[in-house]
Amino acid sequence: MKVSLQIFNPQKTMARILDDSVGIFAAETCARYFNPYVPMRDGFLSQTYTTEPFKITYEQIYAHNMYTGDGYNFSTEQHPNATSYWDKAGMAARGGEISKEITEFVKRR
């Protein structure tokens, strides 16, 4: 006799754990940690972003060009770590801290 038992539904479990509140927290946390890597002259780019669950959108019309770094020599006067692809730089440098904060948030819920 063969018996099968499904203990949990992975899609439902992940949807419960990673709901919109976790997504917003993750996006806001990432934006905060990425900020020192965002090129800055006047601060408009690093200060004008919106977050959605698991997504950050930088609102300035020049954001994509700054992100890819096409033809720019970034000043490091205000943000010494300013670079293109600031999300990748931020994750490489601070990914462990970001993961820890998000994990702690999920555990508190």
Side-chain angles (χ1 to χ4, degrees), residues 10-108:
Q11 290 84 11
K12 230 177 172 176
T13 301
M14 291 307 291
R16 182 178 56 80
I17 294 171
L18 300 177
D19 66 7
D20 285 353
S21 67
V22 174
I24 292 292
F25 182 83
E28 288 290 335
T29 301
C30 287
R32 185 168 32 89
Y33 277 98
F34 295 167
N35 189 53
Y37 302 91
V38 176
M40 181 175 182
R41 184 178 67 197
D42 299 320
F44 296 120
L45 180 61
S46 66
Q47 295 170 6
T48 54
Y49 63 86
T50 57
T51 55
E52 297 174 49
F54 304 103
K55 181 179 177 181
I56 306 165
T57 303
Y58 291 86
E59 300 294 335
Q60 298 300 318
I61 60 172
Y62 55 87
H64 178 75
N65 291 339
M66 297 300 279
Y67 178 75
T68 59
D70 295 335
Y72 291 97
N73 184 13
F74 300 121
S75 168
T76 55
E77 187 176 315
Q78 294 190 45
H79 281 177
N81 296 317
T83 186
S84 58
Y85 301 101
W86 53 79
D87 59 332
K88 292 172 181 38
M91 285 303 285
R94 312 284 300 273
E97 295 166 77
I98 293 169
S99 296
K100 184 178 177 182
E101 278 196 40
I102 295 169
T103 300
E104 289 173 1
F105 178 81
V106 170
K107 285 180 180 179
R108 286 192 306 264

